[in-house]
Amino acid sequence: MAVTAGRPTGQEEPENPLVAGLERLPVAPTTLVIFGASGDLARRKLLPALYNLAHEGALPERFNLIGVSRKEKEHGEFQTECMEAIRRFSRRPPREDVLETLLENVKYVPGTFDDDGVYAELGTILDGFERDAGEPLNRAFYLSTAPTFFPVIVEELGRSKLAQHDTAEVRVIIEKPFGTTLEEARELNRRVLSIFEEPQVFRIDHYLGKETVQNMMAFRFANGMFEPLWNRNYIDSVQITAAEDLGIGTRADYYDSAGALRDLIQNHMLQLLCHVAMEPPVSFTAEEVRNEKVKVLQSIPEPTAVEIPRMAVRAQYGAGHAGGDGVVGYLEEEGVPKDSITETYAALRLEVDNWRWAGVPFYLRTGKRLARKVTEIAVTLKPVPHLAFSQAGSLGVQPNQLVLTLQPNEGVSLRLGAKIPGTRMIIRPVNMEFLYGTAFLSQSPEAYERLITDAMRGDATLFTRNDEVEAQWRICDPIVKYWSPAHPQTPGPLAQYEAGSQGPEEAESLLREGDSWRAI
Ligand code: BG6
């Protein structure tokens, strides 16, 4: 029997009045197969996301889950592990009845990802689910494994014919990182697209599933007042920050071979830049939205060896403080080689060389172990051309700045100049704020909830297309290569910053005269 994972009837939660009555596109009956089902991502994000979808009745009526990973274990043991992961990491405390219904019939297939036997066993289970359902079921294969297995799994799915179905849709969802260089990304695209068609492929960038990232499109394209200003005539600079207070935790293996540029800038931060800089799409279809984003990426000149030292800075954290406690430096973190030159901080100054943006600097920075966790986009407008106030009155006048905060305290704030009450005309900046939490009074879903349902529906708007991922690599690849120890011009010692600080002083060198990094 297949699982009916929708919320049990008679226990409906009140629907958010703002969306009541709006139609949701249905999700067809689906079997989701998670490769790497015992891994961190599955436990922390995917399984809790599935629970929350089940809780909201957003999974299809017939929904089956199969986990695949290396370790030998029984279906029952896997089911218990899933329950524990959901209890521990779900954003809402799980209701036992929903949890049990969701996992009632979960299956587990042990084995290595290159073992034909694993795919034969998967085929048997998938067929069994269809027999029980008495109807064809869509298949979604979620690759949440180490990236080296992505092509292996895809090719096995092709060889075993699991990637084909005459009467139902088959989709593949691929986690990041999609390659570690441009060449690898191209090769991976080639191998994936030799088995699947592009519309069947869903490359994850979880930032695209965040409510606040999607809100950027609403903000720009559902309001008439910003678009006329949204260009080089009025905008002076754009600053995008993705700062984290956490260190690398237990991820030394992955992180030391990735570094900040590949971990966050190549994907999440370039996506944020695209959302700021893209032209309004003709319609909100996957193709139109992604066409516009690709055009932005293509307008960014490929960094050359002469420019890289002037437009890119990297650094590594040393010992310092986090949350009031002393913390070790990157080189002392467990699993990090003592001579590692992996950057834990990266900052870039990019230009979007097109009609709308020519000459406007886009500053991007990200880092681990900075003062606090904050992801924001600050758009600074040009100063007014003339100030008619007395010198004293003008001192507090600052250019307008629009700050879109993605996390925490999601919202939008606009810095305006206002008169200080009193008998004199003295100006000072004030902020006009919109906060998501207070305006909508509802908890935002986790990014993975949105992404999993969209992939099961076949809507690829919030996923990265093949040419898009390659266009992102085209920008980062020369910098990765320049920073590699193998490069003949690699600069001397790596810059350092204290854990818990604002980042390295060296990042100042990227700024145009008069610009400054916002406080983290
Ligand atoms: C992941 C990176 O993609 O994004 C992590 O691998 C990073 O290193 C994380 O911590 C940040 O995501 P979020 O949603 O917490 O901003």
Side-chain angles (χ1 to χ4, degrees), residues 224-237:
M225 66 183 289
F226 300 110
E227 215 39 40
L229 307 177
W230 215 254
N231 58 56
R232 63 190 303 277
N233 298 326
Y234 296 95
I235 291 181
D236 196 52
S237 68

Side-chain angles (χ1 to χ4, degrees), residues 230-462:
W230 215 254
N231 58 56
R232 63 190 303 277
N233 298 326
Y234 296 95
I235 291 181
D236 196 52
S237 68
V238 177
Q239 200 176 113
I240 308 180
T241 301
E244 294 183 274
D245 51 347
L246 295 179
I248 53 150
T250 52
R251 297 165 77 215
D253 259 6
Y254 155 73
Y255 196 86
D256 199 62
S257 63
L261 182 69
R262 285 193 260 218
D263 188 43
L264 255 111
I265 294 189
Q266 183 273 335
N267 36 62
H268 309 326
M269 296 194 76
L270 286 179
Q271 284 292 338
L272 297 183
L273 184 152
C274 285
H275 280 76
V276 176
M278 72 196 269
E279 294 300 317
V282 173
S283 64
F284 273 93
T285 58
E287 288 321 295
E288 293 295 346
V289 169
R290 297 186 298 177
N291 286 347
E292 295 307 337
K293 288 198 288 172
V294 170
K295 282 189 217 160
V296 172
L297 294 165
Q298 284 168 346
S299 320
I300 299 176
E302 193 172 314
T304 64
V306 176
E307 285 155 7
I308 292 171
R310 294 201 286 263
M311 49 83 66
V313 163
R314 62 175 173 162
Q316 205 176 61
Y317 64 81
H321 287 87
D325 296 327
V327 291
V328 298
Y330 180 69
L331 296 181
E332 285 79 52
E333 297 278 15
E334 211 182 313
V336 172
K338 293 286 165 262
D339 57 353
S340 167
I341 59 155
T342 299
E343 80 283 358
T344 59
Y345 176 102
L348 304 184
R349 188 189 60 236
L350 297 177
E351 279 197 18
V352 180
D353 227 345
N354 62 15
W355 191 275
R356 189 189 278 262
W357 293 111
V360 178
F362 281 74
Y363 300 116
L364 273 55
R365 68 180 159 162
T366 184
K368 300 276 182 200
R369 283 273 188 252
L370 291 169
R372 69 182 178 109
K373 167 123 184 149
V374 60
T375 311
E376 63 167 33
I377 297 167
V379 178
T380 307
L381 274 80
K382 297 205 159 150
V384 291
H386 170 68
L387 283 173
F389 314 108
S390 67
Q391 204 194 354
S394 304
L395 285 178
V397 176
Q398 290 182 15
N400 298 124
Q401 192 173 57
L402 187 71
V403 180
L404 299 127
T405 307
L406 275 63
Q407 51 189 5
N409 304 329
E410 295 90 341
V412 180
S413 117
L414 176 61
R415 182 171 74 196
L416 303 166
K419 178 183 174 299
I420 300 178
T423 51
R424 291 189 302 155
M425 180 56 105
I426 299 185
I427 317 287
R428 70 150 249 222
V430 291
N431 286 335
M432 214 162 80
E433 311 246 11
F434 147 72
L435 282 175
Y436 235 72
T438 44
F440 292 108
L441 295 176
S442 64
Q443 199 188 19
S444 295
E446 283 269 335
Y448 279 98
E449 295 171 33
R450 172 72 194 258
L451 295 175
I452 291 172
T453 28
D454 277 9
M456 289 197 295
R457 273 199 190 101
D459 180 351
T461 313
L462 302 180

